[in-house]
Amino acid sequence: MRNRIPDPCRLLIVGINPGRLTEEVDAPFAYPGNRFWPALEAAGITPYRVHANEGLSEEDAAMLAERGIGFTNLAGRMTPKASDLSKAELVEGGEVVRSVVEKHRPRAVMFAGIGAYRDAYRRPKATRGLQPETLAGVPVWVVGNPSGLNAHETVATLAESYREVWEATARERR
């Protein structure tokens, strides 16, 4: 999946890596069972539920850009499971994400997946929520992975954490 980053970017959402369908349709979080898009809608971040399983429509892409929502991944390599990535790939991807943040200067960065964040930035004790460290001076938040493989999250718990990040971006001054 290619980076999708509007200018200006209010919130840069960082996934772990593309799954098969995301790679096929070039749309973030494209698998129909993924809770990402329902949680984004429930959080009030999008005005409607995006159905990315066939790719983003022109209307969806325009709405996301208008709202300042951008997307990238820690690793560009498609795998069936994020656990198929090596720590070295995640560390390398973390540096790439740092460069993307430096270039685009979003108000906040939201990583979807604590384990990948810990590996990418060598912070084994990182917890969910706002991180004490920034990326290029930009606040960093870590939220749960919305994949259906992550049984610990629901649409409601994801929406709660997404809403917290979104509301914080409204307070950030450019």
Side-chain angles (χ1 to χ4, degrees):
M1 180 195 86
R2 63 186 165 97
N3 289 341
R4 294 179 176 272
I5 305 171
D7 182 24
C9 184
R10 176 175 175 175
L11 177 62
L12 179 62
I13 299 168
V14 182
I16 300 170
N17 72 314
R20 183 195 53 79
L21 187 57
T22 288
E23 186 75 8
E24 184 179 307
V25 301
D26 189 31
F29 303 98
Y31 185 74
N34 192 297
R35 294 167 288 197
F36 178 79
W37 295 109
L40 222 59
E41 178 191 27
I45 297 171
T46 59
Y48 59 86
R49 183 169 306 169
V50 171
H51 297 279
N53 57 305
E54 294 181 7
L56 293 178
S57 69
E58 287 183 26
E59 177 187 7
D60 295 339
M63 177 271 296
L64 292 165
E66 180 180 296
R67 298 186 67 76
I69 302 169
F71 297 90
T72 193
N73 285 305
L74 276 168
R77 182 169 71 93
M78 186 276 297
T79 62
K81 298 179 302 210
S83 60
D84 293 336
L85 298 169
S86 71
K87 286 186 181 185
E89 284 177 285
L90 293 171
V91 169
E92 180 181 328
E95 290 309 308
V96 172
V97 170
R98 185 183 312 279
S99 297
V100 168
V101 171
E102 287 173 351
K103 178 180 178 183
H104 294 281
R105 306 298 302 166
R107 291 187 200 170
V109 179
M110 183 175 86
F111 285 86
I114 185 73
Y117 176 81
R118 286 174 177 159
D119 288 343
Y121 295 100
R122 296 182 177 118
R123 295 190 177 110
K125 295 183 181 183
T127 59
R128 292 180 189 189
L130 180 62
Q131 301 303 297
E133 304 86 8
T134 64
L135 269 182
V138 175
V140 173
W141 298 74
V142 178
V143 297
N145 186 326
S147 166
L149 297 174
N150 182 5
H152 301 292
E153 294 286 356
T154 66
V155 168
T157 61
L158 291 166
E160 183 179 331
S161 60
Y162 295 0
R163 186 178 308 107
E164 182 180 10
V165 178
W166 187 248
E167 289 172 356
T169 66
R171 296 187 298 270
E172 290 293 322
R173 297 284 176 226
R174 300 301 296 160

